[in-house]
Amino acid sequence: MNRRQFLWGVGSTALGGAALSEFGPSLVHAAMPSRPDVREFFESDDPEIIALTQRVFDKCILEKLQLPTPPLERTWVRPGGPYYLGQWIWDTMFVIDLLSILPDARQVIRDIMQNYWDFQDRWNKDAPEYARDMITVAIKTAPQEVRQFSQIPLLAWGVERVFLRNGDRELLSQCLGRLERFHDWFWRERDLLDNGLITVGAYSGKLQHAKWETFDYECNMDDMQLTVHPKRKGPNEGSWYADICVPGNTAYLILAERCLARLALAVGDRPMAARRTTRADKGVEGMRRHMWDEQAGTFLSVRRDTLEKIPVATIGSWIPLAAGVPTEAMARRMAEVLASPAWMTPLPVPTVDRNDRRWKSNAFWRGDVWPPTNYQIAGGLAAYGHADLAADIADKTIANALRHGISEHYDSLTGQPLGVRDYCMSCTLVTMMLDGLTKRFKLNLRDKGLSDDNIRRN
C-alpha cells in the first residue's frame, strides 16, 4: 500500500453519508447509570464540597455519556462544548475513574473502552504494518475525518483505576491484550531511536496534528518540525515524525506501562508483566539520562537526533512525578522549583515557567492552569513525600473552583474560568480530594471500596 492509499483509507470522510448505514444494526446502548445523590457514596463536613461533588457527577460525568453515534457503536464520552464531538483518550480516563464508583456503571465502562478497540480494528484494515494498532486521539463522530495521530497514552491508567475501585475482571479480559498492542505501537512509532524517549507525530504530515498528540500549544514545541522516519526508508514514507522528544508523553507511557504490568500480574500473566516492566524501565533510564536538567530542576524536551535540551520548562516537565520517574534527589529538586515564584502563581501550576517571555496567565497551555495536570502533579509530589506542597496546589485548585465554578482551565493569576464550563476532565477536582491530596477540603467515600482480598476474589 502506498502513502496516498494509506492516508485516503484511514483519513477520508468515508464514515459519513451512506457509510453510516453499516453501523446501524450493531449499535449497542447499555443502560445508563442512574443519577446519584452523592451523599449516598461520599461524606464531607462541608456542604460546599458535597455540592461541588454533585455537580461534578451530574455535569462532568453523567451528562457527558452519549448514546451510540457512528462510528462509535456503543455508549461514549463527550468531553463538553460544541467543538469536542468524539471520544478522546486522555479526557475519558478521568471520567471512567470516578464513574466506576457507581455500582451500575460496569457495562457502560466496558462499552466506553470497547470503542477504542473497535477503532483499532477499523484502523488496522487499511494501515500498513508499522502503523497498526494505533488508537486515535479522538474517535470523531461522522462525518468528521479520522484523526491520524494518537494522544497522551493514559488508557492503562484508567483501566487500573476502574479495576481498583470495582474489581471488574471482565474489563481486564477485554482490555489487556489490546492495551499491549497499543503500547507496542507507541514505542515502535514514537521511540524512533530506541532510547526510551517519546516524540510526537501524525500520519497526516500536519505539524499541528502532531502537536495535538500532547499538550498541544506548549512553548517547547514552537520550532518543532516534522521529518521522515530517521531509520525506516522507502518510497512511501512521509514526514510524520517530530524532531523533538517530550517529557510529558514519555512519562505518561511509562506510567501506563507500570499500570499494565500490575494488571497483568493481577490476572497471572507474568510474561506480559515482565515485557511491560522492561519497557517502563528503559523509559525511566532514558529520561533520567537525557532529559533531566539539574539547573532547571525538572525534565526538559530534547532534540530527537542530537539529544540537545530545549531550555524551557512546561507543564509536561512535571508529569514524570506522576510516573515515578525521578530519583528521590530529583524529586526534591523538582519540589523546590515548583514552590518558587516561577511556578507558584496565585493559582498554581501554570503551564509554562512564569519567567518565560511567552508566559501569559490565560494562554492555552502557555500560562493557564488545568485541574487534571494539577491533580497528577500533586499526586506525584505526595508519592515522593512532599505532601504539604501537594496540598497547597490541590487546595488552591479546589478553592478556585468553589469561587469561580467548574471549567476546562483557568487564568493562573486571577483564577477566572477559561474554555468549556463543566468540562469532563475537570472531574479531577473530586479525584484529588478522594486521593487524599488536600488538607483544607475533605471528601471521603462512605464505602472505601473493595479490599485487596476482594479484588483478588472477583
Side-chain angles (χ1 to χ4, degrees):
M1 175 178 290
N2 64 36
R3 177 175 181 268
R4 177 173 295 179
Q5 290 173 321
F6 169 45
L7 296 183
W8 174 255
V10 301
S12 71
T13 56
L15 292 175
L20 295 180
S21 61
E22 70 178 272
F23 293 99
S26 62
L27 296 182
V28 177
H29 175 209
M32 293 290 193
S34 56
R35 178 187 181 275
D37 179 340
V38 296
R39 292 170 295 184
E40 179 183 350
F41 300 98
F42 304 97
E43 55 187 5
S44 175
D45 295 333
D46 188 339
E48 280 194 300
I49 293 302
I50 291 296
L52 177 70
T53 303
Q54 187 70 62
R55 186 169 184 91
V56 160
F57 270 82
D58 289 348
K59 307 297 288 185
C60 301
I61 299 175
L62 294 178
E63 186 180 275
K64 301 303 186 283
L65 300 181
Q66 305 292 303
L67 296 177
T69 310
L72 293 142
E73 301 184 54
R74 294 165 175 79
T75 301
W76 56 283
V77 176
R78 178 176 176 176
Y83 167 75
Y84 298 104
L85 298 177
Q87 179 172 295
W88 268 250
I89 292 179
W90 192 49
D91 313 48
T92 305
M93 294 305 99
F94 301 116
V95 172
I96 67 168
D97 174 28
L98 292 180
L99 185 60
S100 65
I101 293 171
L102 305 183
D104 54 352
R106 284 193 176 198
Q107 186 57 51
V108 167
I109 292 171
R110 293 170 192 160
D111 287 352
I112 289 167
M113 293 305 302
Q114 187 61 41
N115 288 321
Y116 298 114
W117 319 140
D118 291 346
F119 173 86
Q120 215 174 37
D121 289 341
R122 292 194 300 273
W123 173 268
N124 286 349
K125 287 180 181 178
D126 293 303
E129 185 174 358
Y130 57 80
R132 288 176 190 161
D133 296 321
M134 187 193 83
I135 297 171
T136 184
V137 55
I139 308 169
K140 294 276 195 165
T141 56
Q144 299 173 91
E145 290 188 351
V146 176
R147 294 292 195 178
Q148 298 172 52
F149 51 97
S150 192
Q151 200 190 28
I152 290 165
L154 204 58
L155 294 177
W157 178 87
V159 172
E160 184 183 42
R161 294 283 293 197
V162 170
F163 179 66
L164 291 175
R165 291 200 192 279
N166 69 15
D168 187 358
R169 288 186 172 273
E170 184 174 328
L171 181 69
L172 301 193
S173 298
Q174 171 197 11
C175 293
L176 294 198
R178 296 293 198 143
L179 285 168
E180 181 164 46
R181 288 162 56 181
F182 176 49
H183 287 193
D184 285 344
W185 172 84
F186 234 105
W187 291 109
R188 183 173 68 247
E189 285 295 277
R190 296 295 179 260
D191 179 12
L192 302 184
L193 298 181
D194 197 27
N195 57 9
L197 304 182
I198 297 299
T199 187
V200 294
Y203 293 123
S204 64
K206 296 181 179 179
L207 182 62
Q208 186 57 52
H209 289 181
K211 291 182 177 182
W212 281 339
E213 208 165 69
T214 187
F215 305 120
D216 40 14
Y217 290 92
E218 283 187 301
C219 299
N220 57 319
M221 297 189 291
D222 279 1
D223 63 349
M224 187 175 82
Q225 300 295 322
L226 295 184
T227 76
V228 296
H229 196 289
K231 292 184 177 179
R232 193 176 62 230
K233 308 300 180 184
N236 300 320
E237 295 292 327
S239 296
W240 302 330
Y241 307 95
D243 61 353
I244 71 168
C245 295
V246 295
N249 279 28
T250 306
Y252 275 121
L253 189 52
I254 292 167
L255 172 62
E257 290 290 18
R258 287 175 163 168
C259 295
L260 183 53
R262 289 190 293 266
L263 291 172
L265 288 176
V267 300
D269 192 339
R270 293 186 177 277
M272 178 188 286
R275 290 193 298 271
R276 303 342 298 175
T277 299
T278 297
R279 283 291 196 181
D281 289 348
K282 185 170 186 175
V284 170
E285 180 184 1
M287 289 197 74
R288 289 177 178 177
R289 177 178 298 180
H290 301 299
M291 290 182 163
W292 174 252
D293 188 277
E294 183 67 23
Q295 182 176 355
T298 192
F299 293 84
L300 301 177
S301 296
V302 298
R303 303 291 176 189
R304 186 192 69 204
D305 299 333
T306 66
L307 300 176
E308 174 192 1
K309 291 172 187 170
I310 298 171
V312 54
T314 62
I315 197 67
S317 298
W318 307 108
I319 300 303
L321 285 164
V325 172
T327 64
E328 293 291 336
M330 289 174 181
R332 283 195 299 272
R333 176 70 178 127
M334 294 175 81
E336 179 183 83
V337 174
L338 276 169
S340 72
W343 295 95
M344 197 51 59
T345 45
L347 178 62
V349 175
T351 44
V352 69
D353 184 338
R354 191 178 183 180
N355 295 320
D356 189 274
R357 60 178 175 77
R358 294 160 291 187
W359 174 87
K360 187 178 180 181
S361 64
N362 64 355
F364 200 74
W365 295 115
R366 298 169 82 86
D368 55 352
V369 171
W370 293 67
T373 50
N374 274 11
Y375 160 58
Q376 293 179 311
I377 292 166
L381 286 168
Y384 278 96
H386 302 283
D388 288 343
L389 180 57
D392 191 27
I393 293 169
D395 280 328
K396 286 177 178 176
T397 308
I398 300 297
N400 188 72
L402 291 174
R403 185 180 309 116
H404 294 295
I406 302 170
S407 197
E408 184 178 8
H409 54 134
Y410 298 90
D411 187 300
S412 59
L413 288 184
T414 68
Q416 289 293 321
L418 304 168
V420 177
R421 182 173 172 81
D422 297 318
Y423 194 78
C424 76
M425 62 182 172
S426 293
C427 69
T428 45
L429 293 163
V430 166
T431 319
M432 61 180 73
M433 291 188 285
L434 287 182
D435 282 10
L437 301 175
T438 51
K439 289 189 176 179
R440 176 182 171 189
F441 301 104
K442 298 295 184 182
L443 181 72
N444 298 300
L445 281 171
R446 288 191 179 276
D447 177 2
K448 296 302 181 181
L450 294 169
S451 69
D452 289 342
D453 288 341
N454 284 335
I455 288 174
R456 282 191 289 270
R457 283 197 295 270
N458 281 347

